[in-house]
Amino acid sequence: MLLIVGLGNPGSGYARNRHNIGFMAVDAIAKRHGIGPWRRRFQGVSAEGPLGGGRVLLLLPGTYMNESGRAVAEAANFYKLGLPDIVVFHDEIDLASGKVRVKTGGGSAGHNGLRSISSHVGNDYRRVRIGVGHPGLKEMVHGYVLSDFAKSEREWVETLCGLIADNAALLAKGEDASFQNKIHLAMQAKGFLDPKSSATSDQ
């Protein structure tokens, strides 16, 4: 079993926030691969089904972002999953909008959801970092991530979530580099990323 977690805040008021792109990506995976139905479990909602030749549990914590670790720990403990079996989708302000990077472990970089998960289960889980861009000033970050994507951004957001869903089986099979590269090339081809940017640079 692979546990795939989307990070966000519950409630319709947060649904279109930049901070909720983890929710959006995991919901897109569920829809594309017919994984469901969603059930109230593990202090949130979860759905279970096949993906990439194995089984996955999709989890959207119903706690607020800074308590996400409680839901993740409950699900991981129930299925006796180790850190290599956990993949977390989250927003990343230190990546350009529309970029995706997959990494294992590392710091939380001020992300309260990651900080909470690491405090409950440990640090060396896989993270899918989804770039939402940076507002430019540190004091603007809180308001920026808790604001909705602008209308002009919605096309790339929907496209990216669709590409994540299309390629999710690669992630489930542990082919992280292929997952990342296929999304990067497709986003470039659709004109959402600079053609000169590489799939491994962080800008």
Side-chain angles (χ1 to χ4, degrees):
M1 177 74 78
L2 183 70
L3 173 59
I4 297 180
V5 183
L7 291 188
N9 285 307
S12 58
Y14 295 99
R16 293 181 178 272
N17 283 186
R18 292 179 177 88
H19 221 17
N20 271 44
I21 199 165
F23 271 18
M24 298 174 200
V26 172
D27 189 49
I29 292 171
K31 288 176 179 172
R32 182 65 46 89
H33 297 276
I35 299 172
W38 292 100
R39 298 168 53 199
R40 290 194 175 279
R41 289 175 83 196
F42 309 124
Q43 301 182 51
V45 293
S46 67
E48 190 177 327
L51 183 67
R55 288 195 71 74
V56 296
L57 179 75
L58 307 181
L59 175 65
L60 304 179
T63 58
Y64 283 93
M65 183 71 83
N66 61 358
E67 294 288 348
S68 300
R70 292 194 287 120
V72 175
E74 190 173 312
N77 290 338
F78 182 85
Y79 285 103
K80 298 180 171 57
L81 303 177
L83 290 174
D85 306 316
I86 301 172
V87 181
V88 177
F89 283 77
H90 67 92
D91 58 303
E92 175 60 78
I93 59 170
D94 291 327
L95 281 179
S97 296
K99 282 210 168 186
V100 170
R101 294 287 172 271
V102 186
K103 65 180 287 191
T104 298
S108 65
H111 195 291
N112 289 333
L114 297 180
R115 183 183 293 123
S116 176
I117 293 169
S118 293
S119 72
H120 280 81
V121 301
N123 199 50
D124 292 330
Y125 51 89
R126 290 154 67 199
R127 301 117 188 264
V128 181
R129 305 161 62 213
I130 304 174
V132 296
H134 197 289
L137 297 172
K138 186 177 180 180
E139 55 268 29
M140 294 172 65
V141 166
H142 183 74
Y144 176 76
V145 296
L146 289 177
S147 62
D148 288 357
F149 283 106
K151 282 188 178 179
S152 60
E153 296 176 287
R154 289 178 191 166
E155 187 179 358
W156 76 253
V157 172
E158 290 177 9
T159 299
L160 181 59
C161 287
L163 290 168
I164 286 171
D166 287 343
N167 293 285
L170 291 171
L171 197 68
K173 290 186 283 189
E175 298 176 23
D176 294 357
S178 294
F179 170 81
Q180 178 176 297
N181 290 339
K182 280 180 177 289
I183 291 171
H184 184 84
L185 291 172
M187 288 293 282
Q188 278 186 334
K190 292 175 184 292
F192 294 116
L193 292 177
D194 183 345
K196 297 176 183 175
S197 71
S198 78
T200 54
S201 69
D202 269 5
Q203 296 301 321

